[in-house]
Amino acid sequence: MTDQYRLHYAPDNASLVIRLVLEELGLPYETCLVDRRAGAQESAAYRAINPNGLIPVLETPDGAIFETAAILLWLADRHGQLAPAPNSPERGDFLKWLFFASNTLHADLRISFYPEKYIGAAPQDQTVLTRSIQQRLAVHLRHLDDLAATKPNWFGHKVPSVLDYYLGCMMRWMALYPAQSDRSWYRLTDYPHLRQLLQQLERRPATQTAQQAEGLGATPFSQPILANPPEGSAT
């Protein structure tokens, strides 16, 4: 590994969150494309570093780390930025919302992307499940919009936290994926404080670098378009 970190990524996947944070931290890293269309995430080589076959993995001097929230928290603590310090009185609030984003919001989002994995092949069952999950996602976003309105130091400020970038990517995916689904439930104007957060993220140099690397377009969070990456595929 020529750099301190190696990010195993696919365009516009959860690895995008890690790329953004690495860029925000100004850290040197190299990337390794995981070709999803070729099933590279199922290969023995990839499963040796992530037995779950999921993206991303970050190789570090301390070993390979998987799970998006774990990588984010490890990077923030390792480099002392983008999250309250472990001894900060704000740490508890930050952690509960970070894990809400990972264990609740992201988990529900995955169900909405792949309903067949949770309810079976019947289209009517998938429709019922998807609509239920979309209602849950809308509630989650209202909670987060209320949180952003309170202006905690670690959410929605001029210098983003790892949670900002995590949420920004998930809201991007809500607006785009699956490409054929009805997303009338998602209206960014319903969440004015989150919309401001997304627009702030789009002005960050880290976001501009990621736009080029993964073909995300000029407004990847507030008015996203499907990725047109220079290599690899988002699906």
Side-chain angles (χ1 to χ4, degrees):
M1 188 161 53
T2 58
D3 296 295
Q4 187 176 11
Y5 299 120
R6 177 186 289 133
L7 175 62
H8 295 259
Y9 85 101
D12 209 13
N13 281 230
S15 50
L16 173 60
V17 188
I18 310 305
R19 182 194 290 274
L20 286 160
V21 167
L22 289 167
E23 290 289 343
E24 185 68 43
L25 290 168
L27 298 172
Y29 66 99
E30 62 181 32
T31 57
C32 181
L33 177 66
V34 182
D35 187 347
R36 290 188 60 186
R37 286 186 175 172
Q41 71 274 24
E42 304 294 345
S43 68
Y46 191 75
R47 284 187 175 267
I49 55 174
N50 185 350
N52 301 304
L54 298 174
I55 302 167
V57 170
L58 184 68
E59 291 189 72
T60 81
D62 295 343
I65 307 175
F66 53 83
E67 294 295 329
T68 302
I71 299 170
L72 293 175
L73 190 56
W74 188 90
L75 284 170
D77 286 353
R78 179 84 165 205
H79 297 282
Q81 298 180 60
L82 308 188
N87 61 351
S88 168
E90 298 177 310
R91 179 73 166 195
D93 277 346
F94 166 78
L95 287 177
K96 72 185 182 187
W97 286 106
L98 176 63
F99 282 89
F100 169 81
S102 176
N103 296 351
T104 302
L105 182 61
H106 200 167
D108 281 348
L109 192 57
R110 180 175 172 79
I111 295 171
S112 76
F113 291 165
Y114 308 108
E116 72 281 0
K117 294 185 178 182
Y118 298 88
I119 200 67
Q124 63 272 24
D125 292 341
Q126 292 180 24
T127 297
V128 170
L129 176 60
T130 298
R131 287 176 178 169
S132 174
I133 291 297
Q134 289 172 346
Q135 291 171 359
R136 284 171 53 91
L137 290 169
V139 172
H140 300 337
L141 290 178
R142 286 198 294 272
H143 291 327
L144 287 161
D145 195 63
D146 289 343
L147 174 66
T150 69
K151 303 291 186 185
N153 291 326
W154 40 266
F155 191 54
H157 273 243
K158 290 184 179 180
V159 177
S161 72
V162 296
L163 178 57
D164 291 52
Y165 278 121
Y166 197 1
L167 178 63
C169 291
M170 285 193 282
M171 293 184 72
R172 168 185 170 78
W173 302 328
M174 289 176 199
L176 291 176
Y177 301 113
Q180 72 279 9
S181 69
D182 176 13
R183 285 183 297 279
S184 59
W185 68 274
Y186 177 81
R187 297 185 300 271
L188 184 55
T189 52
D190 290 343
Y191 316 106
H193 301 98
L194 295 182
R195 180 174 60 178
Q196 182 181 11
L197 182 155
L198 299 185
Q199 291 170 339
Q200 289 175 181
L201 290 180
E202 288 171 344
R203 294 192 287 269
R204 304 295 297 178
T207 300
Q208 294 160 18
T209 299
Q211 288 170 6
Q212 297 298 317
E214 302 198 14
L216 304 179
T219 53
F221 303 124
S222 65
Q223 293 180 298
I225 59 173
L226 291 172
N228 183 25
E231 62 174 1
S233 170
T235 57

